Amino acid sequence: MLIGCLTVTTGVDEGKKFLLRDLTVFEGGRSQGHHVCLKDDSVARSHFRIFRDEEEYTLLDLGSSRGTSVNGEPAEKVVLTKGDVVQVGDVVLEFDLVDDSASSGRSASSAPDKVPALVIIDGKDKGRTFLLSGKDRYKIGRAVGSDLKLADGKVSREHCLLETVRDHHIIIDLESSNGTVVNGERIKKTVLREGDYIRLGFTLIKYDQV
């Protein structure tokens, strides 16, 4: 059986291969949680999606600012064929169909690189894990429109904000009534590091990689 393979020919990950096997949908972009993770600032966090139907692979651009091109032509949605050259931001990849049994490279259907996450370890929402993937800003609070909505009555409707800056996250208190506490200290704004503990009201959250 033939499977799709994307090989980076230009970019910081030059030579890296992504095997598009097992799944029917593959996400591509700069975000660490994606199946095809391209660690280049010119690539959007969520840049493209590939749909697989047997040996047919269809690429869809996700409205990225830099766009996606196939063989030098802007592409919003296109069926990929063997030898196609795909450009995503400044990264160039070549699409191929290879023998599954003889292929080598990273399987895009395998577990992706670890993703930053908020793991709730105490409070009404204990046990929940919220992945920080695909966006640059996350609102946390009791409001229905929050990215991470908490049931804790001591948490403000708009309690704090997480901003993604390159490969780290900054937490900003939104003048909440009970404050945002990181590692025992009440903060207005600080950079989060793996293993940090965040307290919002009665809720205790660990910033971790999962």
Side-chain angles (χ1 to χ4, degrees), residues 104-162:
S104 62
R106 175 192 172 88
S107 176
S109 63
S110 64
D113 296 334
K114 286 190 174 183
V115 182
L118 298 176
V119 181
I120 303 176
I121 59 176
D122 199 10
K124 288 189 175 181
D125 295 285
K126 182 178 178 179
R128 288 177 60 193
T129 296
F130 181 77
L131 300 181
L132 301 172
S133 172
K135 292 183 66 176
D136 292 327
R137 293 162 64 90
Y138 305 89
K139 287 186 177 180
I140 302 172
R142 284 193 353 268
V144 174
S146 300
D147 295 295
L148 175 55
K149 183 179 181 299
L150 298 173
D152 188 339
K154 289 290 185 179
V155 171
S156 297
R157 289 181 57 79
E158 294 186 351
H159 198 107
C160 61
L161 176 72
L162 255 69

Side-chain angles (χ1 to χ4, degrees), residues 184-202:
E185 293 187 14
R186 187 162 177 164
I187 59 94
K188 290 186 177 180
K189 179 178 180 179
T190 191
V191 175
L192 290 174
R193 293 175 174 78
E194 186 175 350
D196 279 353
Y197 288 94
I198 306 162
R199 181 169 288 282
L200 311 176
F202 292 130

